[in-house]
Amino acid sequence: MLWIFGSGAASQLFGFLSSIIVVRFLDKADYGLYVGAFNKYSYFATFLGMGFATTVLQYCSEQRTRTQKNAVFSYAFRFGSAFNIVLTVLIIALGIIVDRNGKGPYLTMMCALPFFNYLFFYYRNILRTQYDNKGYALICMSNALALCAGNIILTRVMGTAGFIAASYIAYPLSCIVGIALLRKKDFFTEIRLETEKLDKEFKKELIKYSAMCASMFFVTVILGLLDITCLDIITGDPTVLAEYKVALAIPAAMQTVTECLSTYYYPILVREYTSEGGNFKGMIKKCLIVYTLISFAMSAMLFFLAPFIIRVIYGAKYINAVPIFRILCLHLFVSAGVHKFMGNIIMAMKKVNISLSFAGISGILNIILDFILIKSMSSPGAAWATVIVTVFITALEGVYVYAKVFAGKAGSDVR
């Protein structure tokens, strides 16, 4: 676990440093245009490889033979990479058609990122299924370090275009690290020599699961994306987008702390759920206490230090972001403490349809509240909409997990 936490902390530190410097380098309005373009790209990025990186993590963390896992690895690489061609075409089309003089050129520059982003997550998840925490940490830290250096140097030289170009250096580099780590284990030799083929029914199962994961991830992620999208539509002011993005940056980054816990515990949760006599309930209770305590400490600290943090880190020009920052600290507590962990439990049980339903409800509610609250409160309204929806969905998830795992006969097989 030390490797995971170390890499998570280092990644956030590098990302934090680069974001501070880059925001100071760029004009506020130009940074707002980048935020709008990247927000559009993020909608496509939720469908990277049609969700096959997540499928690799789930199916290859289960109790399967080595040959079965190798067959899944191979199929996920081929199918996911092919699907990214579709994403690239769509990104180019949107960049050309929409907002040619504003966000469009920046969006078009991002068109090839799906290939590198997918491979990064694919190699990273393979290492997770092998419980290779050191390898996982190395691939993550190499990405964070290269991205930090690239962001600072290229943004200084090329402006916003350099900010985007840095990703084309960092992600290929981290993929090379992943390939090198797996080659030492003869992973690619095993894949190449593997003779077991997946039958049609199992392929259909993988595709269905991947599609549902991608859809669920899309509907979940748009909770964050919708705020900026609705602000863009309603206000049309890039400086408002820049302020909201600045307010969001640190609370979002702090969620990495509990995400590191999930990185370590998720394969174990899957194993405990799928194994006979596994201690699935005990793991849930233990993790929930730890997640909640850590999230409370983080959110309370950020809430009370908000003015100091914004002024010192981002400068006086972003001081209007303080109220938004404090609202998003409340969201940090709910999301990092309970919401995301409940989602992990439901995913470990392979109840993707339930996650998708909850995510769909949250997306619809978020859109409605965004349009109501942004019109009356501007950007703080977007933050309040996120908090309200997250609290509501977390309550639904908690009721479902309790009913499926803890209610009924104590100690019964929850599967």
Side-chain angles (χ1 to χ4, degrees), residues 154-336:
L154 295 181
T155 302
R156 185 63 172 173
V157 175
M158 302 168 59
T160 305
F163 197 22
I164 299 170
S167 295
Y168 284 102
I169 296 174
Y171 282 97
L173 178 62
S174 56
C175 288
I176 291 171
V177 172
I179 291 170
L181 291 170
L182 291 170
R183 182 170 290 174
K184 288 182 178 179
K185 303 179 181 184
D186 293 325
F187 173 81
F188 298 104
T189 301
E190 286 187 16
I191 296 294
R192 189 167 55 251
L193 299 177
E194 185 57 60
T195 57
E196 180 169 335
K197 303 295 182 182
L198 302 178
D199 59 58
K200 288 185 178 180
E201 289 303 314
F202 191 50
K203 286 182 179 179
K204 288 181 180 179
E205 180 184 338
L206 292 177
I207 293 172
K208 180 180 178 181
Y209 182 82
S210 297
M212 292 185 70
C213 284
S215 301
M216 184 272 297
F217 188 51
F218 171 78
V219 181
T220 301
V221 168
I222 61 172
L223 275 174
L225 303 180
L226 280 173
D227 292 343
I228 293 176
T229 301
C230 292
L231 281 170
D232 195 10
I233 294 172
I234 296 171
T235 68
D237 186 350
T239 61
V240 172
L241 300 186
E243 287 177 354
Y244 192 87
K245 185 67 174 178
V246 163
L248 178 64
I250 296 177
M254 294 299 283
Q255 296 211 35
T256 304
V257 176
T258 52
E259 286 172 2
C260 287
L261 286 173
S262 296
T263 298
Y264 177 79
Y265 280 117
Y266 184 80
I268 299 174
L269 280 171
V270 173
R271 185 187 65 198
E272 295 298 313
Y273 179 71
T274 57
S275 301
E276 292 295 335
N279 187 25
F280 190 54
K281 294 181 183 180
M283 285 295 300
I284 292 175
K285 292 177 181 178
K286 174 184 175 182
C287 291
L288 191 57
I289 293 172
V290 174
Y291 278 50
T292 304
L293 291 175
I294 291 175
S295 298
F296 177 78
M298 292 190 301
S299 57
M301 178 187 68
L302 293 179
F303 185 91
F304 289 111
L305 295 177
F308 174 79
I309 291 171
I310 295 297
R311 187 180 297 276
V312 171
I313 294 177
Y314 295 107
K317 65 180 179 180
Y318 285 105
I319 199 64
N320 290 337
V322 170
I324 310 167
F325 183 91
R326 280 180 160 159
I327 297 168
L328 293 173
C329 287
L330 301 178
H331 176 257
L332 169 64
F333 172 65
V334 179
S335 181

Side-chain angles (χ1 to χ4, degrees), residues 137-153:
L138 289 174
I139 192 173
C140 290
M141 286 192 290
S142 64
N143 177 262
L145 179 59
L147 200 56
C148 177
N151 284 343
I152 294 171
I153 296 171

Side-chain angles (χ1 to χ4, degrees), residues 55-66 68-69 72 129 131 202 205-206 209 266-275 347-350:
T55 299
V56 163
L57 178 60
Q58 175 68 36
Y59 277 78
C60 297
S61 293
E62 296 177 351
Q63 297 293 320
R64 298 183 183 277
T65 65
R66 193 179 187 88
Q68 287 177 327
K69 291 181 180 182
V72 173
T129 64
Y131 302 100
F202 191 50
E205 180 184 338
L206 292 177
Y209 182 82
Y266 184 80
I268 299 174
L269 280 171
V270 173
R271 185 187 65 198
E272 295 298 313
Y273 179 71
T274 57
S275 301
M347 289 295 291
M349 297 164 65
K350 294 176 73 172

Side-chain angles (χ1 to χ4, degrees), residues 38-58:
F38 187 76
N39 195 63
K40 288 182 172 64
Y41 168 78
S42 297
Y43 282 104
F44 294 102
T46 57
F47 291 100
L48 289 175
M50 209 184 81
F52 260 93
T54 304
T55 299
V56 163
L57 178 60
Q58 175 68 36

